Amino acid sequence: MARDTPVQNGTDSKSTDTQLPNLVTIVGRGVPSNYEVAVDGDLEMLATDPVAEGTVVSGGVAEGSIDVGVQRFRFSGEMANVRLVDWNGDQAPDSASVPTVHVEYGAPQR
């Protein structure tokens, strides 16, 4: 199947740095939670198989779930929105169980 646009796979770190210079990190707290991250540019998950991570990335939006571990995304532009919901449906900041989110602009490739 042919694609209309190329997919970045992170093999060329120099081009990724200049095209997707920012980093958002989601850290699970041991409780199943859902998240949605939206940016006003492009967004790419730093994982070999986002579907196995339970994450859907489309354009500048990523939706997924996390309970433990870390999920990272590189993006261009500015952070537009972050929505976090724990397994009970309680949103941040009403729940201490939702994941933490760290945003770093101009983050070097790791």
Side-chain angles (χ1 to χ4, degrees):
M1 172 159 76
R3 295 183 74 107
D4 293 332
T5 58
V7 174
Q8 287 185 331
N9 63 10
T11 57
D12 184 2
S13 64
K14 186 174 183 177
S15 68
T16 301
D17 274 348
T18 57
Q19 294 174 8
L20 302 173
N22 308 316
L23 181 70
V24 60
T25 304
I26 300 172
V27 182
R29 292 190 177 181
V31 175
S33 301
N34 295 322
Y35 64 85
E36 179 181 302
V37 175
V39 300
D40 67 359
D42 293 323
L43 180 73
E44 175 183 287
M45 185 174 194
L46 297 179
T48 54
D49 188 5
V51 174
E53 298 283 339
T55 304
V56 176
V57 179
S58 179
V61 178
E63 291 184 54
S65 60
I66 189 170
D67 55 358
V68 295
V70 175
Q71 295 182 3
R72 291 185 175 90
F73 301 85
R74 292 204 69 92
F75 68 97
S76 62
E78 299 287 325
M79 181 65 63
N81 189 34
V82 176
R83 182 171 185 263
L84 306 165
V85 179
D86 71 11
W87 67 282
N88 284 323
D90 296 329
Q91 296 186 37
D94 296 332
S95 172
S97 300
V98 297
T100 58
V101 177
H102 304 275
V103 179
E104 186 177 352
Y105 289 95
Q109 184 73 22
R110 296 180 188 187

